[in-house]
């Protein structure tokens, strides 16, 4: 699948703390910093840690954890209802940030495609870890029901088989007003059975982000390195649209498909125009994308120039378009209104020239993994 977000995930999984002499085993816990949150979490029968008079206590067992004042003050920087995993060795990893709109469930690193411009390394798609469904549900139990957005991603999350629908139905029942974004290559939905299972179990505000690389079957399959993927993905999209599902179509612009974009836009208009919108995306040059850079790299300006006619064609046919990961200075100003600030805060970088730029606050910047390749391309807008 298109796993543009995989590196966000891996970078976000960072060790934040270590609790010495911890021996309570693996736990998923919420954070409480005041009595009200503590009572609320007790009422919901959730495991949590409570900072009580500068002492860290694990509930509901009421185990006092050995935490230095440094750890306590570090934890105080987080918010009530943030969620962490505590590993048996005492390390704590953040899994849900109440202040972020980028929270996600990572289902599996494995993928049945192997896109040449994927920002994660190939080994992750072949040997990636799978998250246990029970663990995903436990994590979802800890997340407040009023969260605005959640992403479900991988690898290809639906590679985990039909058991994923147990988790998806839990999301449906709990997150009734949350936008749930599923990142998938859509191939599994060429099977009607899977579309029906999805229809029965999905949250009411679901949207499915699916990549299509070309209108030409051979080119699409060359990019995914998976024969038959074009036929499966397009059939999957058509089946999903027949069930009234909401689809974001994603086009990652590379040297391989940049001259096929207008044909792709024509295909979208003729075959699948009921999609919600199209995202035109600049690459993140890490993982396989970096390894294959001679094959795939194209500058932002060239990528935008190649995409311009396709964007115009889509818009003139009533299809909304968004531009992801393009710095403003590389895009014609008449297209700025469709540029999104799409790079996660922990991965955004700006060049030295950006300090003089009048549009820095409106600009989404450049990926940390791409800036070395592209810093000459950035030009301050004065
Ligand atoms: S110069 Fe920097 S801040 Fe300004 S538009 Fe370009 S990338 Fe964005």
């Amino acid at each position: 699948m298109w796993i543009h977000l995989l590196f966000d995930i891996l970078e976000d999984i960072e060790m934040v703390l270590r609790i010495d002499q911890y021996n309570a085993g693996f736990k998923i816990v919420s954070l409480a910093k005041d009595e009200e949150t503590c009572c609320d979490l007790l009422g919901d029968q959730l495991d949590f840690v409570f900072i009580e008079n500068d002492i860290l206590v694990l509930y509901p067992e009421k185990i006092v954890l050995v935490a230095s004042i440094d750890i306590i003050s570090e934890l105080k920087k987080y918010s009530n209802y943030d969620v962490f995993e505590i590993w048996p060795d005492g390390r704590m990893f953040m899994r849900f940030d109440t202040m972020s709109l980028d929270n996600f469930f990572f289902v599996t690193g494995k993928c049945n495609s192997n896109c040449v411009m994927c920002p994660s390394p190939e080994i992750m798609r072949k040997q990636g870890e799978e998250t246990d469904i029970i663990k995903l549900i436990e994590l979802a139990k800890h997340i407040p029901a009023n969260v605005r957005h959640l992403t479900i991603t991988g690898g290809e999350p639906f590679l985990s088989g039909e058991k994923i629908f147990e988790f998806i139905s839990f999301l449906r029942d709990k997150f009734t007003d949350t936008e749930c974004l599923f990142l998938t290559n859509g191939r599994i939905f060429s099977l009607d059975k899977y579309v029906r299972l999805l229809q029965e179990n999905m949250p009411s505000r679901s949207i499915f982000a699916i990549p299509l690389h070309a209108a030409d079957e051979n080119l699409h399959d060359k990019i995914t390195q998976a024969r038959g993927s074009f036929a499966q993905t397009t059939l999957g999209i058509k089946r999903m649209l027949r069930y009234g599902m909401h689809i974001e179509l994603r086009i990652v612009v590379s040297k391989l498909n940049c001259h096929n974009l207008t044909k792709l836009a024509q295909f979208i208009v003729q075959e699948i125009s009921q999609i919600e919108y199209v995202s035109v995306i600049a690459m993140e040059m890490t993982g396989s994308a970096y390894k294959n850079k001679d094959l795939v790299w194209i500058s932002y300006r060239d990528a935008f120039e190649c995409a311009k006619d396709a964007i115009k064609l889509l818009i003139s046919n009533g299809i909304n378009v968004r531009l992801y990961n393009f710095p403003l200075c590389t895009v014609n100003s008449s297209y700025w209104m469709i540029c999104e600030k799409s790079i996660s805060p922990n991965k955004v970088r700006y060049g030295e020239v950006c300090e003089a730029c009048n549009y820095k606050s409106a600009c989404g910047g450049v990926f940390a993994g791409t800036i070395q390749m592209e810093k000459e391309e950035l030009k301050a807008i004065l």
Side-chain angles (χ1 to χ4, degrees):
M1 68 167 272
W2 183 79
I3 46 180
H4 173 78
L5 286 184
L6 184 57
F7 248 67
D8 294 76
I9 290 161
L10 296 172
E11 288 191 5
D12 285 343
I13 299 173
E14 57 188 20
M15 191 181 75
V16 290
L17 295 166
R18 184 193 284 272
I19 301 167
D20 291 331
Q21 300 169 40
Y22 176 79
N23 59 7
F26 178 83
K27 294 263 182 197
I28 293 176
V29 295
S30 300
L31 176 66
K33 300 199 302 182
D34 55 43
E35 287 285 348
E36 192 185 342
T37 310
C38 177
C39 291
D40 194 26
L41 292 167
L42 271 177
D44 287 343
Q45 299 184 314
L46 294 169
D47 291 353
F48 64 96
V49 287
F50 180 29
I51 305 172
E52 206 173 359
N53 301 323
D54 283 343
I55 293 171
L56 190 64
V57 184
L58 178 66
Y59 278 74
E61 301 93 335
K62 293 197 178 176
I63 298 170
V64 175
L65 300 173
V66 179
S68 67
I69 197 66
D70 289 348
I71 291 175
I72 297 287
S73 50
E74 198 60 36
L75 263 180
K76 281 181 178 172
K77 293 178 189 164
Y78 293 89
S79 309
N80 280 322
Y81 301 105
D82 282 354
V83 182
F84 297 84
E85 283 180 12
I86 310 180
W87 287 17
D89 62 4
R91 283 181 296 165
M92 289 181 78
F93 295 86
M94 192 180 204
R95 289 294 181 259
F96 174 74
D97 178 356
T98 51
M99 305 304 286
S100 170
L101 287 175
D102 285 336
N103 289 295
F104 59 84
F105 296 98
F106 180 68
V107 180
T108 176
K110 294 199 176 78
C111 187
N112 52 346
S113 295
N114 185 20
C115 299
V116 287
M117 72 311 164
C118 181
S120 80
E122 189 170 342
I123 192 163
M124 296 198 60
R125 294 186 287 287
K126 298 255 154 66
Q127 298 171 19
E129 296 275 317
E130 192 167 322
T131 312
D132 191 272
I133 295 297
I134 293 168
K135 188 169 146 185
L136 289 171
I137 292 174
E138 186 60 29
L139 176 55
K141 282 181 184 169
H142 282 75
I143 295 175
N146 63 356
V147 62
R148 282 171 57 193
H149 175 96
L150 290 169
T151 297
I152 298 88
T153 189
E156 168 54 47
F158 291 92
L159 264 195
S160 60
E162 290 184 30
K163 62 180 187 285
I164 194 177
F165 293 108
E166 196 186 325
F167 166 59
I168 292 174
S169 65
F170 183 89
L171 299 181
R172 175 198 63 200
D173 296 341
K174 176 165 182 178
F175 301 104
T176 53
D177 200 29
T178 301
E179 181 187 73
C180 291
L181 174 69
F182 292 81
L183 304 184
T184 169
N185 61 33
R187 292 173 61 187
I188 195 73
F189 301 111
S190 56
L191 301 173
D192 194 55
K193 177 186 173 187
Y194 264 81
V195 192
R196 277 190 280 108
L197 280 167
L198 190 60
Q199 175 74 6
E200 285 162 21
N201 292 288
M202 68 186 198
S204 59
R205 293 192 56 219
S206 293
I207 183 152
F208 301 91
I210 301 177
L212 197 60
H213 304 298
D216 174 83
E217 177 171 2
N218 291 327
L219 180 53
H220 177 95
D221 290 2
K222 181 179 171 186
I223 291 171
T224 61
Q225 302 190 88
R227 191 175 291 175
S229 59
F230 176 84
Q232 290 174 335
T233 293
T234 50
L235 180 57
I237 290 170
K238 288 175 183 176
R239 283 196 195 283
M240 294 167 89
L241 289 173
R242 228 174 281 143
Y243 279 82
M245 294 178 188
H246 299 288
I247 292 177
E248 170 196 348
L249 204 78
R250 296 191 158 190
I251 302 172
V252 184
V253 183
S254 72
K255 197 193 278 181
L256 289 171
N257 69 353
C258 62
H259 298 300
N260 193 265
L261 299 180
T262 308
K263 278 191 189 152
L264 179 52
Q266 283 162 353
F267 176 86
I268 294 165
V269 169
Q270 284 161 12
E271 303 274 337
I272 48 175
S273 61
Q274 311 95 301
I275 54 164
E276 293 295 304
Y277 58 92
V278 173
S279 304
V280 177
I281 299 168
M283 288 180 294
E284 179 181 11
M285 296 306 288
T286 50
S288 293
Y290 185 75
K291 186 175 158 224
N292 299 319
K293 61 181 185 299
D294 293 341
L295 191 64
V296 302
W297 175 248
I298 177 171
S299 71
Y300 290 115
R301 285 168 204 276
D302 287 348
F304 171 70
E305 284 303 318
C306 283
K308 232 161 59 176
D309 286 346
I311 294 169
K312 279 193 260 185
L313 184 68
L314 290 165
I315 292 174
S316 64
N317 280 279
I319 296 173
N320 287 328
V321 179
R322 299 176 183 181
L323 274 171
Y324 285 172
N325 310 343
F326 283 86
L328 290 182
C329 55
T330 63
V331 171
N332 187 303
S333 59
S334 57
Y335 290 75
W336 285 356
M337 68 183 76
I338 61 170
C339 288
E340 300 278 334
K341 291 178 86 171
S342 47
I343 303 175
S344 307
N346 64 323
K347 298 175 77 175
V348 174
R349 298 293 183 274
Y350 293 89
E352 279 172 30
V353 295
C354 301
E355 294 313 312
C357 180
N358 289 333
Y359 285 80
K360 188 179 175 195
S361 62
C363 173
V366 184
F367 277 113
T370 310
I371 193 155
Q372 284 314 319
M373 304 187 68
E374 271 319 287
K375 59 184 174 191
E376 303 304 322
E377 205 187 341
L378 307 182
K379 299 271 181 281
I381 306 167
L382 303 171

